[in-house]
Amino acid sequence: MEEKGTVSRNFIEQIIDKDLEEGKYESICTRFPPEPNGYLHIGHAKSILLNYGLAKKYGGKFNLRFDDTNPTKEKTEFVDSILADVRWLGADFEDRLYFASNYFEQMYEAAVLLIKKGKAFVCDLTADEIREYRGTLTEPGKESPYRNRSVEENLELFENMKNGMYEDGAKVLRAKIDMASPNINMRDPVIYRVAHMTHHNTGDKWCIYPMYDFAHPIEDAIEGVTHSICTLEFEDHRPLYDWVVREVGYEHPPKQIEFAKLYLTNVVTGKRYIKKLVEQGIVDGWDDPRLVTIAALKRRGFTPESIQMFVDLCGISKSQSSVDYAMLEYCIREDLKLKRPRMMAVLDPVKLVIDNYPDDQIEYLDVEMNLENPELGMRKVPFGRELYIDHEDFMENPPKKYFRLFPGNEVRLMGAYFVKCVSFEKDETGKVTEIHCTYDPETKCGSGFTGRKVKGTIHWVAAKTAVRAQVRLYENIIDEEKGVYNEDGSLNLNPNSLTVLDDCLLEPALADAKAYDSFQFVRQGYFCVDAKDSKEGAPVFNRIVSLKSSFKLPKAEG
Ligand code: ATP
Ligand code: MG
């Protein structure tokens, strides 16, 4: 993020600037409040980096708080994955890891306080009746017949609720606000419900649980959060947020600020949908490299830096829109371009024999790791009489402007010599099985040869030393042409979202690659060692992204 005063501030920064100027807060505190009911995705990454980034920029604090007030869905697997993801993104919460369920006592006390103030009551209406009484956008609601219970009666009934005297749903505690409010959220919202469920943290201690709209502001206030940043769907809940912090009487009330969710075109981000894909076995877990969970992006080979760049490019806004997935791809290319070595890998191998090269000779050629970044240095690449090249780099009858290998044509083998195709062999299906060439020793790369030029350069690996590996290519899991959903509401899956290539041949240096190491494979894209399926000496590579892109960076504003 830019530090200079000349850079225009986004609307959240403008709010913070003003609050600090007016002395409303001395310093700021933000938080990321995930519900541990699934893995985090790229949208959450935006929220994490936004909250963390603001705290860092203003010298404030950033908390990680699990919003685990709902006992039904939470799982420790999700808590662990969320912690790992937040740490991987680099959002440092220091020692401020909190669980909302640790505040149940304070929430209960806050509810009792509201009852004592005459601002909350126990209601016996059923969920359906409450809905009926609520009214509509155009009609006011009706007051509950239980609304005017005495403080004493409410205190007693609420305590009974807490002590397990009622069945689930038999009674609720409601805030007493205004059944005629134009904002439906203010029409005596339910703030506590009875639920006889075991909670992952508090066990069976509680059989009443607070509702989100009541719990969240209290969590923020307890932690001293100043700016509680959430997504737009909570905008209409803000008056209730403010009501809760005011009525409970917090001295430095936090302030809720909403921004638009991040959506990616043709990409499934909602936890609900990702969960469906996982549960139906359509993908290989929450970290399947085709997903945009943070765990999947990490496994695919994205870096925290690339995600930060992406989030910065997206910016912060109040209006809903979708960002093209290609922008995320742009960011990872930009990040890896200079950082990673450019290696040779043949994904669809065909043998190439150099007839005039000594039979048993292996020559170690010096090749730059990355032509654009000399700091990465050089590596030795073995060269020999028998090589493999990619099938698509040879054609028997090439069209015009095909500058790669074909009978009679000469090309440069990357980092090595010029070779000229003298003959080739085919099998009965017409598939080319072997290509014969001659090489010219004078043309060795780096020798300063200027005698003649060739138009094509192709990559290769030496047969004797090549490493066999599985390479996986990915496309969007959703069929881009047809949109995310079918007419019946099911997801419109792309049958080609995963291609597994089992017989790829790589430079020997790649045999030692470790989980999450990434490389450019020249002309093919960026690839990352799969952390789940690779074995010692037998890496499996995920293609992170191809090299070409139609994506153009939007012009900077202003
Ligand atoms: P989903 O809608 O994917 O199920 P959620 O909103 O239910 O996600 P929570 O765990 O409740 O997930 O969200 C934690 C935080 O992340 C919230 O502050 C929420 O506003 C924010 N968040 C969730 N999705 C996005 C998104 N697409 N873009 C930006 N922030 C998001
Ligand atoms: Mg949620």
Side-chain angles (χ1 to χ4, degrees):
M1 236 177 233
E2 291 275 356
E3 296 291 342
K4 280 181 263 157
T6 52
V7 170
S8 70
R9 307 286 235 196
N10 68 44
F11 75 94
I12 298 180
E13 291 164 343
Q14 290 174 18
I15 293 173
I16 295 176
D17 285 344
K18 187 156 174 279
D19 286 345
L20 291 173
E21 254 168 56
E22 291 175 353
K24 195 159 183 186
Y25 306 108
E26 255 167 42
S27 63
I28 72 157
C29 179
T30 60
R31 89 286 174 260
F32 176 65
E35 197 182 341
N37 63 352
Y39 279 57
L40 300 179
H41 53 63
I42 183 78
H44 296 115
K46 176 166 182 173
S47 175
I48 293 165
L49 294 173
L50 168 64
N51 280 291
Y52 172 65
L54 288 169
K56 206 166 101 178
K57 184 170 188 171
Y58 287 92
K61 289 177 178 162
F62 166 74
N63 299 355
L64 175 61
R65 179 209 312 145
F66 284 97
D67 205 338
D68 59 350
T69 53
N70 182 352
T72 47
K73 299 173 238 163
E74 285 118 12
K75 269 208 207 165
T76 33
E77 179 197 352
F78 298 141
V79 171
D80 294 343
S81 72
I82 289 170
L83 275 171
D85 291 345
V86 174
R87 291 200 170 109
W88 180 73
L89 283 173
D92 187 4
F93 46 88
E94 297 171 352
D95 57 354
R96 290 179 305 280
L97 167 62
Y98 301 121
F99 289 84
S101 56
N102 287 336
Y103 310 144
F104 280 157
E105 196 66 49
Q106 284 116 301
M107 292 173 191
Y108 178 77
E109 281 161 19
V112 169
L113 177 75
L114 291 185
I115 295 174
K116 287 184 178 158
K117 288 175 72 177
K119 300 278 182 168
F121 65 99
V122 173
C123 183
D124 299 2
L125 293 180
T126 64
D128 284 340
E129 287 166 336
I130 290 177
R131 208 170 304 122
E132 260 168 54
Y133 276 63
R134 190 175 294 141
T136 63
L137 285 173
T138 49
E139 284 165 50
K142 256 191 332 189
E143 293 189 352
S144 161
Y146 304 98
R147 197 174 199 261
N148 296 314
R149 279 176 162 155
S150 68
V151 169
E152 289 67 35
E153 189 184 0
N154 280 320
L155 284 173
E156 190 186 327
L157 293 174
F158 187 51
E159 199 177 335
N160 291 346
M161 276 170 68
K162 179 184 117 168
N163 291 337
M165 289 176 58
Y166 310 119
E167 308 260 290
D168 290 7
K171 282 186 170 46
V172 292
L173 184 71
R174 298 175 67 176
K176 197 192 268 191
I177 310 179
D178 178 7
M179 287 309 290
S181 170
N183 182 338
I184 294 185
N185 295 303
M186 299 299 272
R187 295 184 188 168
D188 294 4
V190 174
I191 59 177
Y192 257 97
R193 66 191 169 118
V194 178
H196 292 270
M197 282 190 279
T198 305
H199 187 278
H200 77 106
N201 179 26
T202 54
D204 293 322
K205 175 157 189 229
W206 296 92
C207 62
I208 53 170
Y209 290 96
M211 305 302 285
Y212 180 90
D213 281 340
F214 177 66
H216 206 85
I218 294 180
E219 295 158 24
D220 286 338
I222 289 173
E223 290 176 12
V225 166
T226 55
H227 298 85
S228 176
I229 298 166
C230 64
T231 42
L232 280 183
E233 70 273 24
F234 291 101
E235 194 164 24
D236 292 343
H237 298 238
R238 192 182 341 132
L240 180 52
Y241 184 102
D242 291 342
W243 184 91
V244 172
V245 290
R246 189 174 64 243
E247 293 300 336
V248 178
Y250 291 102
E251 215 176 311
H252 300 286
K255 173 185 259 185
Q256 177 180 302
I257 304 172
E258 310 86 17
F259 73 101
K261 271 195 173 179
L262 170 65
Y263 288 104
L264 288 177
T265 38
N266 286 321
V267 174
V268 191
T269 47
K271 240 184 260 177
R272 220 149 46 88
Y273 300 105
I274 297 179
K275 198 170 182 160
K276 218 191 263 179
L277 294 172
V278 174
E279 282 168 358
Q280 294 177 5
I282 293 165
V283 295
D284 148 39
W286 286 90
D287 62 354
D288 185 291
R290 288 168 292 179
L291 297 175
V292 288
T293 59
I294 297 174
L297 291 168
K298 176 182 177 196
R299 183 172 168 201
R300 175 98 172 241
F302 283 83
T303 57
E305 292 82 359
S306 64
I307 293 172
Q308 178 78 60
M309 188 192 305
F310 175 68
V311 164
D312 290 345
L313 279 177
C314 288
I316 303 298
S317 131
K318 270 270 188 197
S319 58
Q320 214 70 262
S321 66
S322 286
V323 178
D324 201 333
Y325 182 78
M327 190 155 110
L328 187 58
E329 296 188 316
Y330 166 85
C331 294
I332 187 66
R333 280 192 203 98
E334 282 298 300
D335 186 41
L336 299 183
K337 197 164 69 181
L338 299 181
K339 282 191 199 164
R340 297 292 185 260
R342 301 178 178 182
M343 314 290 279
M344 291 193 282
V346 176
L347 303 191
D348 181 16
V350 58
K351 188 175 266 185
L352 182 150
V353 181
I354 303 173
D355 294 335
N356 61 339
Y357 193 86
D359 203 5
D360 45 7
Q361 180 173 310
I362 287 278
E363 184 179 354
Y364 287 87
L365 302 170
D366 289 304
V367 180
E368 283 95 349
M369 280 294 201
N370 184 329
L371 273 174
E372 288 181 70
N373 181 7
E375 279 179 23
L376 292 186
M378 309 286 285
R379 69 183 187 281
K380 298 277 185 197
V381 182
F383 183 83
R385 176 183 158 91
E386 293 199 350
L387 311 173
Y388 284 97
I389 65 167
D390 253 304
H391 256 288
E392 61 169 28
D393 287 338
F394 175 85
M395 281 183 99
E396 179 181 359
N397 297 305
K400 266 193 187 150
K401 298 211 172 148
Y402 183 87
F403 299 122
R404 292 173 260 171
L405 261 189
F406 54 87
N409 192 39
E410 189 172 48
V411 298
R412 180 199 302 279
L413 291 176
M414 195 173 283
Y417 299 94
F418 288 7
V419 290
K420 185 172 190 170
C421 176
V422 291
S423 66
F424 65 97
E425 291 159 27
K426 286 197 279 193
D427 65 12
E428 52 295 350
T429 68
K431 193 174 175 191
V432 175
T433 53
E434 198 163 298
I435 300 158
H436 286 263
C437 291
T438 53
Y439 88 117
D440 177 355
E442 300 275 297
T443 60
K444 186 170 180 174
C445 188
S447 68
F449 175 78
T450 52
R452 62 185 183 280
K453 286 196 171 127
V454 287
K455 282 197 166 148
T457 299
I458 64 177
H459 61 275
W460 51 275
V461 294
K464 269 201 186 123
T465 53
V467 175
R468 191 170 296 268
Q470 186 184 95
V471 171
R472 298 168 181 174
L473 308 180
Y474 301 100
E475 287 178 17
N476 273 354
I477 200 158
I478 298 298
D479 197 322
E480 301 208 31
E481 304 281 291
K482 301 187 203 124
V484 177
Y485 300 103
N486 293 314
E487 269 175 20
D488 65 359
S490 61
L491 286 166
N492 183 22
L493 300 172
N494 172 6
N496 303 317
S497 61
L498 169 65
T499 304
V500 178
L501 304 172
D502 272 312
D503 298 310
C504 303
L505 294 170
L506 321 178
E507 278 186 46
L510 287 164
D512 302 325
K514 302 276 176 300
Y516 302 113
D517 284 353
S518 60
F519 306 88
Q520 186 186 114
F521 289 174
V522 288
R523 300 169 64 214
Q524 314 274 12
Y526 290 95
F527 293 77
C528 178
V529 178
D530 190 85
K532 231 177 178 174
D533 299 329
S534 296
K535 307 241 156 36
E536 176 103 29
V540 169
F541 286 88
N542 296 318
R543 178 149 75 185
I544 312 167
V545 65
S546 62
L547 292 179
K548 289 197 198 81
S549 165
S550 53
F551 177 76
K552 293 264 180 330
L553 194 60
K555 285 212 185 85
E557 283 168 47

